[in-house]
Amino acid sequence: MGVLTNKVERDELKPGDHIYTYRAVFAYSHHGVFVGGCKVVHFKPEHSLISPTLASSSSSSSSSVSEVNDSSEAPCPTYPDCGYKRPKSGVVLSCLDCFLKKGSLYRFEYGVSSSIFLTRFRGGTCTTAPSDPLQTVIHRAMHLLQNGFGNYNVFQNNCEDFALYCKTGLLILDKNGVGRSGQASSIIGAPLAALLSSPLTLLIPNPVGVATVTAGMYCMSRYATDIGVRNDVIKVPVEDLALNLGLKPLKRKRKACDTSISR
């Protein structure tokens, strides 16, 4: 694990790794689980997904072409099963190239010490929680590919939450609070830290002192929401996840690509 970055090369990946890449010039990161064979299972908002079949069948319409281009979901030229997803599900199987979209590759770190966690100023890069065995991680990811992960929510059920669940099997009991995502905690933690430190400007006139206190509060707010230290998390088997999330099971429809995935 690097001091400032978790960047890795492709040949360093192992099936079951939680990986991520940055989008929109490092504005946010997108997370997934590497399942081997150059394939990644990840979670996206359902409305942004366009299956390769739909894209090719509607390419004659200018409005459809615009929709495909805007969502960057053009058919993969290399892997026929890239982009596979079940109907009404945001969990998708992609090849590593389509997942990265020319971005750099990073590996999320598990079981880090509290001191290391606090030095990582940017959320969504590591957790103090340990990872389960890699085969368990892959089983969860492939099960969710077939059964879904509920509705996408940027603060409570996003791509990082998906990967964190696959790696740890942990769910948050409080469905109204912030989810497991360290990236979401960072977004919430920054304004919260600024708000809490604002009265201190009267006691600490030095701007550097105020900035230091604000940064400290920001890091502590991130640490308090990390799944490795929270006491409102429970271990949920992936087979029972639909019951805990209140999901309806996806209707099973046999497709040719099902066979290609299982091979």
Side-chain angles (χ1 to χ4, degrees):
M1 180 173 63
V3 176
L4 297 177
T5 177
N6 297 344
K7 191 174 180 180
V8 294
E9 299 299 327
R10 295 187 182 206
D11 57 7
E12 297 178 68
L13 289 181
K14 300 184 295 294
D17 277 348
H18 172 172
I19 61 175
Y20 62 98
T21 187
Y22 288 102
R23 300 270 199 261
V25 197
F26 293 90
Y28 67 96
S29 55
H30 184 58
H31 297 245
V33 174
F34 179 68
V35 293
C38 289
K39 299 294 174 61
V40 183
V41 177
H42 53 119
F43 185 50
K44 302 174 68 175
E46 185 187 339
H47 61 77
S48 71
L49 296 170
I50 299 177
S51 68
T53 307
L54 176 61
S56 57
S57 64
S58 60
S59 58
S60 57
S61 165
S62 60
S63 60
S64 299
V65 170
S66 174
E67 185 181 10
V68 170
N69 291 338
D70 289 344
S71 60
S72 303
E73 293 295 337
C76 175
T78 310
Y79 297 96
D81 58 348
C82 179
Y84 168 79
K85 62 178 284 291
R86 296 292 310 284
K88 299 183 179 179
S89 172
V91 183
V92 59
L93 180 79
S94 298
C95 70
L96 192 55
D97 285 333
C98 290
F99 173 82
L100 293 174
K101 294 184 179 178
K102 298 184 179 179
S104 297
L105 174 63
Y106 300 84
R107 180 164 52 205
F108 198 96
E109 298 292 333
Y110 284 80
V112 304
S113 66
S114 55
S115 56
I116 291 293
F117 183 91
L118 291 170
T119 61
R120 296 303 177 94
F121 196 72
R122 183 160 192 162
T125 62
C126 63
T127 177
T128 60
S131 169
D132 286 332
L134 297 182
Q135 287 303 319
T136 303
V137 176
I138 296 170
H139 168 69
R140 288 187 186 123
M142 298 308 291
H143 181 91
L144 295 175
L145 178 63
Q146 299 299 332
N147 295 275
F149 193 63
N151 295 323
Y152 186 97
N153 183 292
V154 69
F155 290 114
Q156 294 180 330
N157 201 45
N158 58 37
C159 60
E160 187 184 340
D161 290 316
F162 170 82
L164 283 166
Y165 172 76
C166 289
K167 291 286 286 185
T168 66
L170 296 174
L171 279 187
I172 305 296
L173 286 171
D174 181 11
K175 293 181 173 60
N176 296 319
V178 66
R180 290 144 292 183
S181 168
Q183 192 172 196
S185 298
S186 298
I187 297 171
I188 295 172
L192 177 63
L195 179 65
L196 292 175
S197 64
S198 57
L200 296 175
T201 55
L202 299 175
L203 303 175
I204 311 174
N206 186 342
V208 176
V210 174
T212 303
V213 171
T214 302
M217 288 185 171
Y218 163 75
C219 290
M220 290 308 297
S221 69
R222 280 184 48 240
Y223 182 73
T225 57
D226 179 59
I227 59 169
V229 299
R230 292 175 71 155
N231 56 12
D232 61 343
V233 295
I234 53 171
K235 195 95 168 179
V236 177
V238 70
E239 291 79 9
D240 298 335
L241 186 63
L243 181 63
N244 281 268
L245 292 179
L247 304 179
K248 294 180 180 178
L250 296 175
K251 290 183 179 179
R252 186 70 183 163
K253 186 176 179 181
R254 186 74 176 173
K255 289 189 177 181
C257 49
D258 284 347
T259 3
S260 64
I261 290 173
S262 59
R263 288 175 185 171

